[in-house]
């Protein structure tokens, strides 16, 4: 299998699929397509349209089969590798984990808009301004705290459904954002964020992001200097 991704420092959707594969120990080849621009004639879009009709990362190639969209990739991997238990075994927990992932896929637009993923950066000052001025960000973090706390309490941790699952991979980029912008979190939720950062698959992605040194102005709206 091959997984097509964008820059590790910025590409949150790529991170979800990559971390899922890596943390689960599923072998794959990485194909990184650099973000030069997102215009139809950009090198990024030109290369990506050769393997995916959506023109977005990530894309999983399994032989001649292309699977795009992160939820579809997660479901495909769960079917192909049932022994990896990517979803919880319990039916109710599995349904809840799918609900969390679907909510991530379609929601948290305030946090995703105002706090773009930038793993290399430390932007507490920007985060303080966002927290002050953007009620949608505060609402998203309030929802995250309630959702994560319920899962951690119900399943006893250390991750959302006990063991690592698709849900933790889906929320890993959110954990990156929370740290980059130093958004306020209660101690139990901050501890979960720290545990996600320490996962081998997540740490490997972070290490790759820090090694890129490929800084793109259009991905860094808050960067005043380096």
């Amino acid at each position: 299998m091959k997984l097509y991704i964008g820059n590790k420092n910025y590409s949150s959707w790529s991170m979800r699929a990559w971390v899922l594969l890596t943390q689960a120990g599923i072998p794959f080849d990485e194909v990184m397509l650099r973000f030069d621009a997102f215009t139809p004639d950009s090198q990024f879009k030109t290369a990506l349209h050769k393997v995916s009709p959506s023109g977005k990362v990530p894309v999983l190639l399994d032989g001649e089969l292309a699977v795009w969209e992160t939820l579809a990739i997660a479901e495909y991997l769960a079917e192909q590798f049932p022994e990896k238990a990517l979803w919880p075994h319990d039916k109710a927990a599995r349904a809840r984990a799918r609900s969390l992932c679907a909510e991530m896929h379609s929601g948290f637009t305030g946090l995703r808009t105002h706090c773009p993923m930038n793993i290399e950066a430390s932007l507490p000052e920007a985060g303080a301004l966002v927290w002050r001025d953007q009620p949608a960000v505060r609402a998203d973090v309030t929802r995250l705290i309630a959702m994560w706390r319920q899962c951690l309490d119900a399943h006893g941790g250390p991750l959302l459904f006990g063991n690592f699952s698709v849900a933790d991979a889906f929320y890993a980029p959110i954990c990156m954002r929370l740290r980059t912008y130093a958004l306020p979190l209660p101690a139990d939720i901050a501890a979960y964020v720290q545990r996600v950062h320490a996962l081998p698959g997540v740490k490997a992605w972070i290490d790759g992001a820090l090694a890129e040194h490929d800084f793109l102005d259009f991905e860094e709206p808050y960067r005043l200097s380096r």
Side-chain angles (χ1 to χ4, degrees):
M1 292 191 297
K2 294 181 180 180
L3 184 70
Y4 287 73
I5 64 170
N7 294 51
K8 289 181 179 176
N9 195 46
Y10 306 115
S11 186
S12 58
W13 289 106
S14 297
M15 182 183 184
R16 293 177 170 96
W18 195 97
V19 165
L20 182 61
L21 283 157
T22 304
Q23 185 66 24
I26 299 171
F28 69 100
D29 293 325
E30 173 190 313
V31 182
M32 201 281 272
L33 301 178
R34 180 179 181 271
F35 289 158
D36 61 324
F38 300 122
T39 54
D41 61 345
S42 66
Q43 292 182 6
F44 173 76
K45 288 291 187 181
T46 300
L48 198 51
H49 276 302
K50 295 177 181 179
V51 294
S52 170
S54 73
K56 297 179 181 180
V57 286
V59 182
L60 181 72
L61 286 190
D62 190 1
E64 297 298 315
L65 175 65
V67 186
W68 63 95
E69 290 292 340
T70 315
L71 269 174
I73 292 171
E75 293 289 6
Y76 180 76
L77 293 173
E79 290 180 354
Q80 292 297 106
F81 301 95
E83 73 280 4
K84 298 296 185 179
L86 300 181
W87 293 112
H89 288 295
D90 177 74
K91 181 172 69 174
R94 192 162 61 249
R96 185 157 190 83
R98 284 190 167 110
S99 296
L100 263 65
C101 291
E103 185 172 347
M104 177 66 257
H105 205 269
S106 62
F108 301 101
T109 54
L111 185 58
R112 287 158 57 186
T113 298
H114 297 291
C115 298
M117 192 173 85
N118 189 338
I119 290 173
E120 181 270 343
S122 176
L123 300 169
E125 296 87 357
L129 293 175
V130 166
W131 189 258
R132 184 193 69 186
D133 297 338
Q134 301 297 335
V137 172
R138 298 195 299 272
D140 283 349
V141 172
T142 297
R143 172 63 185 141
L144 284 169
I145 291 170
M147 181 194 326
W148 289 354
R149 181 172 283 156
Q150 184 180 39
C151 289
L152 292 167
D153 288 348
H155 301 282
L159 300 175
L160 293 177
F161 293 89
N163 297 324
F164 174 77
S165 73
V166 177
D168 300 295
F170 259 65
Y171 283 93
I174 292 291
C175 294
M176 303 300 107
R177 289 174 161 100
L178 293 171
R179 174 172 286 189
T180 293
Y181 297 93
L183 300 183
L185 299 172
D188 58 332
I189 302 303
Y192 168 70
V193 170
Q194 179 58 38
R195 290 194 295 272
V196 170
H197 274 79
L199 289 172
V202 173
K203 187 177 184 304
W205 178 275
I206 293 171
D207 289 345
L210 296 178
E212 282 179 344
H213 301 292
D214 184 16
F215 306 115
L216 306 173
D217 288 344
F218 62 86
E219 291 282 7
E220 305 226 11
Y222 301 121
R223 181 80 74 172
L224 300 178
S225 63
R226 182 173 299 288

